[in-house]
Amino acid sequence: MSDTKLKPGVVTGKDYQALVAACKAGGYALPAVNVTTSSTLNAVMEAAAVTKSDVIIQLSNGGAQFYAGQGHPDGFKAKVMGAVAAAQHAHLLAADYGVCVVLHTDHANRKLIPWVEAMVEHSEAHYEKTGRPLFSSHMLDLSADDLEFNISECARVLERMAKIEMSLEIELGVTGGEEDGVGSDLEEGADNAHLYTQPADVLKAYDTLASLGHFSVAASFGNVHGVYKPGNVKLRPEILKNSQALVQKERGTAANPLHLVFHGGSGSAKEQIAEAVGYGVFKMNIDTDTQFTYSKPIGDFVKKNPRAFEVQIEADGTPYKKFYDPRKYVRLAEQGMIARASIRSN
Ligand SMILES: [Zn+2]
């Protein structure tokens, strides 16, 4: 738990900024966990409560759509309203779990800018009513576009978000791998220079964005999304260090002026995570690992009780209701996620 003395619940605006500052000062990063249902969202809040850790809950566009229902007739609207529904869910319940929850949305490429802006519109309405935005932050990942477009478009959206005290996460350089379809077309062709963010590009982004509002940077330092065989790409956390040092030197800031996030953290070595955190990383994305810890207990349960998933009642009258009640195995899945979080925090 951070020592920021923040009230439990969803944190936005100045509180969110204080939380980020506390992470960097304390030398730790918050886990950012992707959710797709009320079950996974509740499990993340419970895991945070058990481990006494604050947490970042995020939705990808696909996850948000699933939250609204994969059968929702309007895919775009489902992506917006699913994210809004998840955010409302967290606003209603997070305080009860006694933890601080940051609400964020994940990778949005050029095609998904309208998705982000539609969610900002909901935050604007929420801000008007309550004095707080619905989300703490959103991400725009325009790293596949040229740098000028990436930075100018992020500036345009950040300007709008800053008015309602929201933060923007941007991405510079191409992170390998695939996250919910975004990035899949880049995996093959990305040359190595592209996989590693150039500190000069980070300085350029800082110069444009720092005066507009609060923002964070996902820099590529050889990290890949998903889980890959080790050895294909070399992790070079010193890129983060060099980016921080360049901004500090050129613009005369305090140490570690950038708020950095680590994408593709699943399966990374502990030492390299610790090194990255030392260079100002406050957020670690860990989607892929948690998906497995959620699904494995369901697989185990079905293997152990196969008949309960074939018939409702045996010929001798033995009922299986308490086995096929979805609450039974969905709860086991939630507990799998929570148990994994407790191990990680030790
Ligand atoms: Zn990324």
Side-chain angles (χ1 to χ4, degrees), residues 172-174 189-199 201 220-222 233 236 239:
L172 296 169
V174 177
D191 58 34
N192 255 14
H194 232 155
L195 282 173
Y196 300 107
T197 298
Q198 309 301 312
D201 293 353
S220 303
F221 54 104
V233 193
R236 290 175 51 197
I239 284 177

Side-chain angles (χ1 to χ4, degrees), residues 11-343:
V11 291
T12 58
K14 295 241 169 342
D15 289 344
Y16 167 70
Q17 294 179 22
L19 198 60
V20 172
C23 288
K24 289 170 69 186
Y28 59 92
L30 296 179
V33 191
N34 282 67
V35 302
T36 55
T37 57
S38 58
S39 167
T40 44
L41 204 165
N42 290 338
V44 174
M45 291 193 291
E46 189 179 342
V50 167
T51 56
K52 297 191 180 358
S53 158
D54 300 323
V55 73
I56 299 169
I57 288 176
Q58 62 186 15
L59 297 111
S60 67
N61 69 93
Q65 182 173 7
F66 193 83
Y67 205 100
Q70 206 63 39
H72 191 295
D74 181 337
F76 178 77
K77 194 175 174 199
K79 284 177 197 251
V80 177
M81 296 315 289
V84 169
Q88 297 283 17
H89 180 114
H91 275 270
L92 289 171
L93 294 167
D96 294 342
Y97 285 85
V99 292
C100 289
V101 170
V102 171
L103 282 178
H104 179 69
T105 57
D106 208 359
H107 293 82
N109 62 15
R110 191 175 190 153
K111 273 189 281 190
L112 287 164
I113 296 171
W115 174 54
V116 172
E117 293 205 89
M119 291 187 293
V120 171
E121 221 175 294
H122 280 273
S123 270
E124 285 166 345
H126 195 265
Y127 191 87
E128 196 145 293
K129 257 193 277 171
T130 66
R132 311 168 60 197
L134 201 48
F135 291 89
S136 319
S137 53
H138 293 302
M139 179 188 191
L140 272 184
D141 176 7
L142 306 177
S143 60
D145 295 274
D146 64 70
L147 186 69
E148 307 309 317
F149 179 80
N150 185 349
I151 295 177
S152 66
E153 195 59 8
C154 287
R156 183 183 69 77
V157 177
L158 176 58
E159 227 175 336
R160 179 174 173 188
M161 291 169 74
K163 291 191 184 118
I164 52 169
E165 299 176 59
M166 290 187 71
S167 181
L168 178 69
E169 181 181 321
I170 70 165
E171 182 149 336
L172 296 169
V174 177
T175 307
E178 176 177 358
E179 203 157 285
D180 220 350
V182 179
S184 55
D185 46 338
L186 303 167
E187 192 191 328
E188 296 288 321
D191 58 34
N192 255 14
H194 232 155
L195 282 173
Y196 300 107
T197 298
Q198 309 301 312
D201 293 353
V202 180
L203 178 64
K204 227 179 241 175
Y206 178 87
D207 282 342
T208 307
L209 301 177
S211 61
L212 298 178
H214 191 273
F215 72 100
S216 55
V217 183
S220 303
F221 54 104
N223 38 326
V224 289
H225 292 128
V227 171
Y228 288 82
K229 272 195 212 130
N232 289 339
V233 193
K234 208 173 153 266
L235 219 51
R236 290 175 51 197
E238 70 270 18
I239 284 177
L240 306 178
K241 181 189 181 186
N242 296 343
S243 299
Q244 295 280 23
L246 184 66
V247 174
Q248 183 184 357
K249 178 171 151 267
E250 295 298 323
R251 299 299 171 251
T253 66
N256 285 356
L258 302 157
H259 315 305
L260 299 174
V261 309
F262 187 164
H263 287 185
S266 286
S268 297
K270 246 190 163 163
E271 308 77 61
Q272 280 176 319
I273 293 173
E275 191 184 348
V277 169
Y279 301 146
V281 167
F282 75 96
K283 171 178 184 265
M284 286 275 314
N285 285 8
I286 48 171
D287 185 30
T288 310
D289 281 353
T290 44
Q291 283 183 345
F292 185 70
T293 56
Y294 186 89
S295 297
K296 189 172 185 304
I298 298 180
D300 293 343
F301 184 75
V302 173
K303 251 188 281 167
K304 238 201 306 197
N305 306 285
R307 288 292 288 162
F309 294 86
E310 286 159 14
V311 294
Q312 278 185 282
I313 303 171
E314 286 293 357
D316 69 2
T318 311
Y320 285 121
K321 179 168 163 41
K322 62 177 190 223
F323 293 92
Y324 62 73
D325 180 338
R327 282 174 297 183
K328 178 74 189 179
Y329 52 88
V330 169
R331 180 59 187 155
L332 291 174
E334 292 172 353
Q335 285 167 329
M337 236 170 111
I338 293 155
R340 171 60 205 260
S342 324
I343 294 164

